[in-house]
Amino acid sequence: MMDSPFGSFQLKRYPFAGDDSHQAWDAADELLLEYLAEQKFSTNASLLIFNDGFGALVTALGYFSLHSVSDSYCSHLSQRRNREDNGLGAVGEEAGLVQFDSLWKPVGEFDQVVLKVPRSLGLLEENLHRIATHLPPGTPIAAGGMLKVLSNGVFALFEKYFGKITTSLAAKKARLIFAKVGTGKVPKNPFPQTMEVEGLGIILVNHGGTFSRDRLDPGSRFFLRNFPRLSDEKLIVDLGCGNGLLSILAARRAPEAQMFLLDESYMAMASARQSFDANGLFHRGVFHTTNVLQGVDDDVADKVLCNPPFHFQNIQTREIALTMFEESKRVLKRTGSSGW
Ligand SMILES: C[S@@+](CC[C@H](N)C(=O)[O-])C[C@H]1O[C@@H](n2cnc3c(N)ncnc32)[C@H](O)[C@@H]1O
């Protein structure tokens, strides 16, 4: 149960709520809610919220008018479920919550921007660039993060986009950063960025929130060195596709195959689409933002490629990887196989 100045709320870490060892909010959420209660907004105030991991903010702030931006399909889903569990409308204009993906350019005026600092500096920069570019000067921003994510790079990005910032004292290993949208020229968004995979001639396009956007991670390298043998497959699934690296190589090695790419990150999906185009694979990919393999029929795939995640938000977890393996079995044809 999360106790806050706005009330007490029962929250779960959807969609992987089975493991109760981690709670669905942290001290940075609590600090943000305490700060927002002190502002004494009227109930028709309009708040723009970024990166609410499991819905603690959109649930506790449920009586305001909310726009919620996230790079995560699963976070959006968790926000809706936790609101429903706590007797609020899930989503929609009438329910007082509208959800947008992280590529959305904010429109309108807001009484307050509330931002949970993400683990990825790239995603943070994409958020801050959109806030600085599209919101009216003077719009106040309150950002909260656990001290472990508040690196020097985080403060440097706030100063880059908003100049002067102030901070709260640290409490319960969390801290707040305060800024206002300014009137000056906004620095250019450095994303999306392009890189070439050495030795393979593959071009990768990366938006800021994409996994391993500035170098190949050791897991991906290992996968490339041990890439499954492919020949006459018809449908290959790339589960947790990131920027599309694995399916670009697979599309080259299995010239007849249609690639089906899935990821829960909106920026991963945008990156994968653009990477496919950059490698001339225009009609070879179908792209789907979802949780694991939701919406994919049984017995359809000849091969599933998956370099699974072991993190969600700031939490280490094996649950997603295990669900990915189980679900892969379901979508594989009897003759199919997977490479993990
Ligand atoms: C280790 S990365 C692999 C990226 C890419 N396939 C590679 O090998 O470089 C894992 C990917 O899984 C995605 N992911 C995490 N949770 C997911 C979920 N519940 N459903 C679908 N994709 C998910 C992440 O966004 C991330 O892009």
Side-chain angles (χ1 to χ4, degrees):
M1 183 76 86
M2 179 182 76
D3 295 315
S4 80
F6 297 96
S8 298
F9 302 93
Q10 195 76 49
L11 299 168
K12 287 194 173 167
R13 290 190 307 144
Y14 290 115
F16 298 96
D19 173 3
D20 279 339
S21 57
H22 291 285
Q23 61 184 27
W25 71 96
D26 61 21
D29 293 311
E30 291 173 341
L31 277 194
L32 277 169
L33 291 171
E34 281 161 25
Y35 170 78
L36 294 168
E38 286 162 13
Q39 306 314 301
K40 305 219 178 306
F41 293 115
S42 67
T43 47
N44 58 5
S46 175
L47 310 184
L48 174 58
I49 301 179
F50 284 80
N51 312 322
D52 182 8
F54 298 101
L57 296 173
V58 298
T59 303
L61 300 169
Y63 291 101
F64 298 114
S65 162
L66 305 176
H67 285 52
S68 170
V69 179
S70 174
D71 186 48
S72 164
Y73 176 94
C74 292
S75 288
H76 273 161
L77 190 142
S78 192
Q79 292 173 10
R80 297 195 293 272
R81 292 233 189 129
N82 275 313
R83 278 172 61 97
E84 275 179 330
D85 289 354
N86 288 278
L88 293 160
V91 76
E93 298 265 352
E94 272 176 30
L97 171 70
V98 271
Q99 295 178 314
F100 296 92
D101 69 50
S102 50
L103 294 143
W104 178 67
K105 295 176 179 148
V107 272
E109 294 189 7
F110 297 91
D111 295 293
Q112 177 78 53
V113 174
V114 182
L115 183 143
K116 261 312 270 304
V117 177
R119 230 162 52 103
S120 154
L121 281 179
L123 176 57
L124 177 65
E125 180 147 20
E126 295 259 22
N127 293 157
L128 298 187
H129 181 271
R130 283 173 176 75
I131 293 167
T133 308
H134 300 289
L135 294 183
T139 307
I141 302 152
M146 299 306 292
L147 296 182
K148 63 184 177 198
V149 299
L150 296 181
S151 61
N152 291 341
V154 168
F155 294 100
L157 281 178
F158 274 90
E159 281 165 352
K160 174 174 172 185
Y161 285 96
F162 306 112
K164 190 172 165 337
I165 59 169
T166 55
T167 59
S168 72
L169 293 175
K172 294 187 280 186
K173 297 192 179 160
R175 202 166 168 193
L176 303 183
I177 302 172
F178 305 105
K180 276 199 164 116
V181 176
T183 48
K185 193 166 182 304
V186 179
K188 195 172 172 311
N189 187 352
F191 300 106
Q193 290 170 349
T194 303
M195 73 174 187
E196 184 168 347
V197 183
E198 246 175 75
L200 290 175
I202 290 177
I203 310 290
L204 295 176
V205 180
N206 288 303
H207 288 266
T210 313
F211 169 79
S212 198
R213 63 182 159 73
D214 45 5
R215 69 198 140 71
L216 289 196
D217 102 303
S220 313
R221 280 182 199 283
F222 184 77
F223 206 121
L224 292 180
R225 281 200 303 275
N226 297 279
F227 209 74
R229 193 182 295 270
L230 300 172
S231 53
D232 55 359
E233 284 77 5
K234 296 283 177 284
L235 183 71
I236 299 177
V237 169
D238 184 355
L239 175 52
C241 62
N243 52 26
L245 166 68
L246 300 181
S247 40
I248 291 170
L249 186 56
R252 286 189 183 169
R253 300 215 173 147
E256 312 243 303
Q258 185 73 31
M259 308 303 309
F260 193 4
L261 294 86
L262 304 107
D263 204 291
E264 72 99 36
S265 153
Y266 298 105
M267 284 199 177
M269 209 36 83
S271 305
R273 270 178 208 277
Q274 286 175 256
S275 297
F276 259 57
D277 288 355
N279 290 279
L281 296 167
F282 306 103
H283 305 298
R284 300 283 307 281
V286 174
F287 303 85
H288 187 44
T289 311
T290 192
N291 175 28
V292 187
L293 284 160
Q294 249 169 34
V296 182
D297 289 341
D298 296 356
D299 302 322
V300 289
D302 297 295
K303 184 78 83 186
V304 176
L305 308 174
C306 179
N307 173 15
F310 290 100
H311 267 101
F312 184 67
Q313 309 288 331
N314 298 332
I315 297 164
Q316 263 191 351
T317 174
R318 287 185 323 151
E319 228 180 327
I320 305 171
L322 294 175
T323 309
M324 285 182 165
F325 298 157
E326 275 166 27
E327 278 282 281
S328 297
K329 201 168 148 202
R330 177 181 68 74
V331 304
L332 275 167
K333 287 181 191 161
R334 280 173 181 230
T335 51
S337 65
S338 36
W340 296 322

